[in-house]
Amino acid sequence: MTVNASPTGSSRWKSAALLLALGSAVAGAALAGPGSGVGQASSHREAPLVAADPQVDNTDLYAFTSPDKSDTVTLTANWIPFQEPNGGPNFYPFAADAHYDINIDSQGTGKPDLTYRWTFRNEDLRGEKTFLYNNGVVNNLTDKTLLFRQHYCLQEIRAGKKPVTLVADGIATPSNVGKASMPNYGRLRNQATQKLRGGGQTVATQAADPFFLDLRVFDLLYGGNLSETGHNTLNGYNVNTLSIQVPKSKLAYKGNAKRNPVIGVWSTTERRTMQLSPGKQTPTGKYVQVSRLGNPLVNEVVVPAGLKDAFNALPPSEDHNQPKVVAKVLDPELPKLIQGIYGIPAPKTPRTDLQEIFLTGIAKAANGPLAVDLNSQLMNLDINKKWFVPAEELRLNMSTPVTAKPNRLGVLGGDFQGFPNGRRMGDDVIDISIQALEGATPGHLIQALAAGDGVNGPGKAFGTTFPYVALPYTGSVNQAG
């Protein structure tokens, strides 16, 4: 199944693609219901509780057909935002008491049919002898000069089956201390990249933050007069990345990516309760989900402050049961803010189109206002449609062909492989969102806002092969650019 809509199609599709494009900004509003017990949504320091616990803070999620291996999909999730490259001596390890998960829903139930789970343990050789992360040049992950390293186990967890261990004892690439300590970080990352049984590969590493935007959107939407744009707030910062590339058959329902090409993806973090005593903290009890991310910017931009922590504790399968969520999708806040500050009329409510875009995916079978086949699990031929529920997930149609020349505006730019049909690293989700909120259509932007946030790409270019993220920065953030 491939997308059968054209950017020059009906006005109905145009408005669909528009809003479609608005991707993250308006979507997640729909799901922010009062608490239920599991979850997280979106970006950098978006919710009060997770802002105080950066080791479990999901920053961004990407899902796309691998451009150089089109029979595979790459899933990439990032954690620990705003890493200053010179943030020693402890730098930025993953939490050793957490589950880092990427979840795949191939049936549209809002529940994971498949989860890839990373768990970490520390090998700390510093003891009482030194404060140093390394005491010499590190050319290899196993060098004795590297005094702190993290090992991980990667499991494939399928509903109703025993977990399968894909990597029993992998080594994560360490934080990049600097050019003197780690003169060839790319070599270390290559050593850390593990081949998987049955095809595919994975890596746990530090990377330059691939997200790009001007975060001054929070200052009355770029200063109240669009004067505060053009500065990539994340330039110079690093993140921790978990990335996995697998054959499409691994992700598709019943292993058949031709009959069942659409998947929904979200990342989560689970953590145990921490018992504190002088100079010590001990994890106790069961794992509890504390973070969830599907579409970008949902928790940051759409969900009201009082619902953010609850949204981080909500599983996608419960999204449709949250009336406050649905209310925020039908009547989102951002268009009203833009109207109040810039005088651009907000689209009429209720926004029933947004329910389809963010909670069901776009498909004729959804019986919504956007009657085109794009990226809903309802397009999968073998699912039981009675089990389908609306749920906020980053949905990817794996059958959409790889775009030879990607358009950073994704669907809004006539590129149906782009956001919100999955998310590639180069998709400009901020500009897409601003335009879509205001009713732009493919090829017909709102000219008053056409410049967007003035940031059209990352500070460091993406790679052309797995894991695609750029190597981490080493200079101080205040020197970046």
Side-chain angles (χ1 to χ4, degrees), residues 270-425:
E270 296 181 340
R271 199 167 202 178
R272 301 169 70 189
T273 299
M274 197 67 69
Q275 186 178 50
L276 301 178
S277 56
K280 188 177 181 181
Q281 52 186 30
T282 306
T284 61
K286 296 181 179 180
Y287 283 90
V288 177
Q289 185 179 311
V290 295
S291 176
R292 163 189 162 193
L293 176 59
N295 288 289
L297 305 176
V298 167
N299 207 345
E300 264 192 340
V301 177
V302 181
V303 178
L307 297 177
K308 289 182 183 294
D309 290 323
F311 183 80
N312 272 357
L314 188 69
S317 59
E318 290 298 317
D319 291 342
H320 67 293
N321 290 325
Q322 305 300 324
K324 291 185 179 181
V325 161
V326 176
K328 279 295 175 183
V329 170
L330 293 175
D331 189 12
E333 179 182 9
L334 277 179
K336 297 177 182 178
L337 293 175
I338 292 174
Q339 178 174 312
I341 295 173
Y342 293 108
I344 299 173
K348 293 182 179 179
T349 58
R351 301 292 294 273
T352 54
D353 53 339
L354 297 184
Q355 291 186 83
E356 187 178 356
I357 290 166
F358 299 117
L359 298 179
T360 66
I362 310 299
K364 294 176 182 177
N367 294 320
L370 310 177
V372 297
D373 283 332
L374 182 69
N375 67 340
S376 173
Q377 290 103 325
L378 288 168
M379 296 166 58
N380 292 343
L381 297 180
D382 296 326
I383 70 164
N384 186 335
K385 292 179 172 58
K386 295 181 181 179
W387 295 349
F388 183 90
V389 298
E392 194 274 324
E393 303 169 352
L394 181 62
R395 288 179 169 85
L396 172 67
N397 184 341
M398 298 185 289
S399 71
T400 307
V402 172
T403 307
K405 294 182 178 180
N407 188 308
R408 67 180 180 87
L409 296 181
V411 172
L412 189 61
D415 180 356
F416 292 97
Q417 205 220 358
F419 181 73
N421 184 15
R423 182 186 178 188
R424 302 166 301 191
M425 291 179 184

Side-chain angles (χ1 to χ4, degrees), residues 122-344:
N122 297 333
E123 180 188 0
D124 192 345
L125 304 177
R126 294 171 296 182
E128 298 179 358
K129 298 178 181 179
T130 182
F131 62 87
L132 293 170
Y133 193 81
N134 61 292
N135 61 4
V137 176
V138 179
N139 291 312
N140 303 286
L141 294 179
T142 54
D143 284 353
K144 293 181 179 179
T145 51
L146 182 59
L147 303 180
F148 181 90
R149 61 176 58 83
Q150 288 202 293
H151 300 251
Y152 70 87
C153 173
L154 170 61
Q155 291 183 309
E156 178 185 275
I157 303 171
R158 293 188 180 272
K161 297 183 178 180
K162 288 185 177 181
V164 175
T165 299
L166 301 180
V167 179
D169 188 27
I171 299 178
T173 317
S175 294
N176 194 348
V177 176
K179 295 178 181 178
S181 292
M182 299 173 182
N184 191 342
Y185 193 84
R187 176 179 175 175
L188 298 177
R189 189 171 78 175
N190 289 339
Q191 291 177 2
T193 301
Q194 297 277 318
K195 299 294 183 183
L196 301 178
R197 288 181 298 167
Q201 52 191 326
T202 188
V203 70
T205 187
Q206 190 183 50
D209 196 331
F211 193 26
F212 53 93
L213 80 167
D214 194 322
L215 269 174
R216 290 177 292 182
V217 64
F218 297 112
D219 185 14
L220 292 182
L221 300 181
Y222 300 113
N225 58 3
L226 294 179
S227 62
E228 296 180 354
T229 60
H231 174 74
N232 183 2
T233 308
L234 299 178
N235 189 29
Y237 286 104
N238 296 326
V239 290
N240 280 13
T241 291
L242 297 177
S243 193
I244 185 167
Q245 185 180 79
V246 293
K248 292 177 178 179
S249 59
K250 290 275 189 180
L251 306 176
Y253 183 52
K254 293 189 174 181
N256 192 330
K258 291 185 178 180
R259 289 180 58 83
N260 307 299
V262 180
I263 57 173
V265 185
W266 70 100
S267 59
T268 53
T269 320
E270 296 181 340
R271 199 167 202 178
R272 301 169 70 189
T273 299
M274 197 67 69
Q275 186 178 50
L276 301 178
S277 56
K280 188 177 181 181
Q281 52 186 30
T282 306
T284 61
K286 296 181 179 180
Y287 283 90
V288 177
Q289 185 179 311
V290 295
S291 176
R292 163 189 162 193
L293 176 59
N295 288 289
L297 305 176
V298 167
N299 207 345
E300 264 192 340
V301 177
V302 181
V303 178
L307 297 177
K308 289 182 183 294
D309 290 323
F311 183 80
N312 272 357
L314 188 69
S317 59
E318 290 298 317
D319 291 342
H320 67 293
N321 290 325
Q322 305 300 324
K324 291 185 179 181
V325 161
V326 176
K328 279 295 175 183
V329 170
L330 293 175
D331 189 12
E333 179 182 9
L334 277 179
K336 297 177 182 178
L337 293 175
I338 292 174
Q339 178 174 312
I341 295 173
Y342 293 108
I344 299 173

Side-chain angles (χ1 to χ4, degrees), residues 56-117:
V56 298
D57 186 359
N58 310 49
T59 66
D60 284 283
L61 173 68
Y62 302 85
F64 53 92
T65 294
S66 309
D68 57 324
K69 294 184 178 181
S70 59
D71 60 337
T72 70
V73 162
T74 296
L75 305 172
T76 297
N78 296 330
W79 277 266
I80 313 182
F82 295 115
Q83 295 181 18
E84 158 63 53
N86 297 325
N90 294 308
F91 295 97
Y92 305 100
F94 289 95
D97 62 324
H99 291 158
Y100 293 94
D101 296 347
I102 297 179
N103 307 283
I104 294 92
D105 171 14
S106 59
Q107 299 185 72
T109 61
K111 299 177 181 179
D113 295 292
L114 166 65
T115 296
Y116 291 109
R117 171 169 292 167

